[in-house]
Amino acid sequence: TGGAQEQPRVQLEFDNIQRVVSDLTGDQGNPVQSLSLNIKERRQRGMTSNVQNLAKVLKTAGAVISHPFGSVMRSILVAVYELGAAEVAVVGHRECGMMGLSCGRILDKARARGISEEVLSTLRHSGIDLPRWLSGFDSVEAGVTSSVAVIRNHPLLPRDVPVHGML
């Protein structure tokens, strides 16, 4: 399926999750903010049972999973198998700093802060693809869709675990 078919699906999933989160939080605002406020409120009232089970939040730059066997994916698998997570939601946001991120700009700033050409050369000769690793994406939708695909297609993720993309 192409990107044109994925975007409505992402929006539909966002609408469904926002409705579920609104039911949990009683708030129509930002789902992540609302959920976090609800958790704080419940803790303040001494309602700590199951509070930690409402959400396990992993934050990454741009909601990007850069490697299917990296620490973010490992954390998702631990959440599913050990912490009882029943669903996974990848949450992107507008005006994300990863949109249009330039490897060249980052490396220029790294050099200005004392990272030597020798270090950069060592990384390149060690098989690190710096332009790929330090690049962002052209659209938030594409970034979220890519991360959702990595998670959904992971060989260790059970097929009965829903994976959602949200903006």
Side-chain angles (χ1 to χ4, degrees):
T1 60
Q5 291 177 345
E6 286 294 322
Q7 190 169 346
R9 184 173 168 192
V10 168
Q11 184 60 44
L12 175 64
E13 289 174 353
F14 170 75
D15 291 343
N16 289 337
I17 289 179
Q18 188 172 27
R19 195 171 321 115
V20 169
V21 171
S22 293
D23 290 347
L24 280 173
T25 64
D27 188 341
Q28 297 297 319
N30 177 304
V32 174
Q33 182 181 16
S34 299
L35 189 55
S36 125
L37 289 174
N38 183 261
I39 290 170
K40 286 179 192 171
E41 199 174 286
R42 292 180 81 171
R43 282 189 180 136
Q44 288 170 351
R45 294 181 184 170
M47 300 167 60
T48 56
S49 62
N50 294 328
V51 169
Q52 66 256 20
N53 294 329
L54 285 175
K56 305 295 181 209
V57 179
L58 307 173
K59 294 179 97 175
T60 67
V64 170
I65 297 179
S66 57
H67 194 285
F69 291 95
S71 63
V72 175
M73 191 65 220
R74 180 181 56 226
S75 295
I76 291 169
L77 293 170
V78 168
V80 168
Y81 287 113
E82 294 295 320
L83 304 176
E87 297 185 62
V88 177
V90 177
V91 182
H93 63 94
R94 304 282 179 209
E95 299 179 26
C96 178
M98 289 293 286
M99 206 163 101
L101 184 69
S102 162
C103 173
R105 263 195 336 259
I106 290 176
L107 293 182
D108 287 345
K109 290 176 182 179
R111 287 181 193 99
R113 303 231 4 223
I115 304 300
S116 70
E117 284 300 325
E118 181 181 4
V119 167
L120 298 177
S121 177
T122 299
L123 291 172
R124 287 185 195 103
H125 289 96
S126 298
I128 306 295
D129 183 354
L130 290 173
R132 182 170 180 257
W133 188 62
L134 289 175
S135 292
F137 40 74
D138 294 329
S139 77
V140 178
E141 292 86 354
V144 169
T145 300
S146 174
S147 290
V148 166
V150 168
I151 298 167
R152 276 190 184 145
N153 295 307
H154 198 281
L156 294 176
L157 187 79
R159 296 295 152 231
D160 64 341
V161 174
V163 181
H164 309 280
M166 298 171 35
L167 297 177

